[in-house]
Amino acid sequence: MSSAIAKLEARLGVRLFNRTTRSVSLTDAGRAFVEQVAPGLEDIRGAMDAARSQQAKPSGMLRINTFATAAREILAPLVLEYLRRHPDVHVDIVTEGRLVDLVAEGFDFGMRMANLVPTDMIAIPLGEPQRNAIVASPAYLKKHGRPRVPSDLFRHRCIRVRLPNSSLFRWEFRKRGQTALIDVTGPITLDEASLSRIAVLEGIGLGFFMEPDVRGDIEAGRLVRVLEDWTPELARHCFYYPGRRNSSAAHTAFVALAREVAVARK
């Protein structure tokens, strides 16, 4: 790829990218070039989609962008079942916290909370309504006591969460029309739920999770849930995708299975 870009820059006589050892970004000339060629590339993509739509048998690659909790929810019932039915398709799943532009970044599908799905996308609700869960180890609660209302967290050690944009996540609570946003404090800041779970299991402090990420620990007694009455239901996860006139056989079959799974879960 680097060689191809270098040859293009040499042919055009301008630098399209600013390069350092740590990052790559478009120059002004590069941005102008992308804006001018983008419509043509979209036409090419449309022609490719039209050609793929003629396939009788699903094949090729499908790319899905989601976050880890949702990926775990759909992996077995949707993705793995799809692969069993259509072994000539390769599915590439990317999990990340940021919300991406599916079309601009080359994804076929996304999976997010319903309230985060762009309005110009086709959405299929999947799964049960979600909830957050605030948990701690039994040892931590024995030593530090149990918070009864969100403001009690100011007296507790909490696992801080860094968002993909580098800001710190404020713990949000709702109850009977009341809302509380708490800037918790604690001994460690993490940006991945599985790491936070380890810290909480080790008794370092309280943690804020999506319920499915710690449900097994709660049921097994390894973690204890607190402030449950302050964590009402959230929006359901939605599987979504941009509308296309000429979808490939692989794309069409995946949408059909997603709708099948959605009906089964109602």
Side-chain angles (χ1 to χ4, degrees):
M1 179 65 75
S2 296
S3 176
I5 292 173
K7 290 178 181 178
L8 177 60
E9 288 178 326
R11 184 174 180 181
L12 296 175
V14 296
R15 191 172 74 250
L16 300 176
F17 288 90
N18 293 312
R19 302 174 182 82
T20 70
T21 57
R22 299 176 63 88
S23 66
V24 178
S25 62
L26 286 168
T27 63
D28 289 341
R31 280 190 291 272
F33 181 77
V34 169
E35 288 174 1
Q36 292 181 53
V37 301
L41 292 175
E42 190 60 33
D43 289 342
I44 293 172
R45 178 169 181 168
M48 294 174 67
D49 285 344
R52 282 193 291 264
S53 70
Q54 303 303 312
Q55 295 173 347
K57 184 179 180 181
S59 63
M61 177 183 288
L62 295 175
R63 301 188 70 224
I64 303 172
N65 185 280
T66 182
F67 61 107
T69 301
R72 286 189 286 270
E73 184 178 7
I74 65 168
L75 186 62
L78 179 54
V79 177
L80 300 187
E81 175 59 24
Y82 179 84
L83 293 175
R84 279 190 285 268
R85 297 186 188 186
H86 307 291
D88 292 331
V89 180
H90 179 90
V91 176
D92 179 12
I93 299 178
V94 176
T95 59
E96 55 186 325
R98 68 189 182 103
L99 187 63
V100 305
D101 182 327
L102 295 186
V103 175
E105 302 204 24
F107 289 98
D108 298 285
F109 303 104
M111 181 83 170
R112 298 285 164 177
M113 302 289 281
N115 58 309
L116 297 177
V117 176
T119 56
D120 60 345
M121 294 284 162
I122 299 171
I124 304 172
L126 289 176
E128 300 297 324
Q130 301 297 306
R131 294 185 69 186
N132 293 319
I134 295 82
V135 294
S137 69
Y140 175 89
L141 294 178
K142 182 178 181 180
K143 182 176 181 180
H144 297 279
R146 188 185 186 105
R148 303 293 177 182
V149 295
S151 58
D152 288 345
L153 294 173
F154 291 120
R155 300 191 296 273
H156 280 269
R157 295 161 61 87
C158 298
I159 311 303
R160 306 182 82 191
V161 177
R162 180 179 291 107
L163 298 172
N165 64 3
S166 296
S167 65
L168 291 175
F169 174 67
R170 293 194 295 172
W171 295 15
E172 183 175 359
F173 301 91
R174 289 186 288 118
K175 181 180 179 180
R176 298 173 187 169
Q178 301 179 68
T179 299
L181 288 172
I182 306 296
D183 282 314
V184 297
T185 59
I188 190 169
T189 301
L190 299 167
D191 64 359
E192 213 286 317
S194 64
L195 298 178
S196 297
R197 173 180 170 271
I198 293 171
V200 175
L201 285 168
E202 291 293 324
I204 298 301
L206 290 148
F208 190 106
F209 299 90
M210 292 200 70
E211 184 181 46
D213 291 337
V214 290
R215 185 179 292 132
D217 296 312
I218 295 170
E219 293 173 350
R222 293 185 293 269
L223 294 177
V224 178
R225 191 170 188 167
V226 299
L227 299 173
E228 186 171 357
D229 56 333
W230 281 89
T231 55
E233 284 189 352
L234 304 171
R236 299 171 70 182
H237 289 153
C238 272
F239 173 79
Y240 66 99
Y241 58 97
R244 291 178 181 169
R245 287 176 294 178
N246 298 301
S247 295
S248 68
H251 187 284
T252 300
F254 201 91
V255 171
L257 181 57
R259 295 190 183 281
E260 184 180 316
V261 171
V263 170
R265 290 189 167 192
K266 283 185 178 179

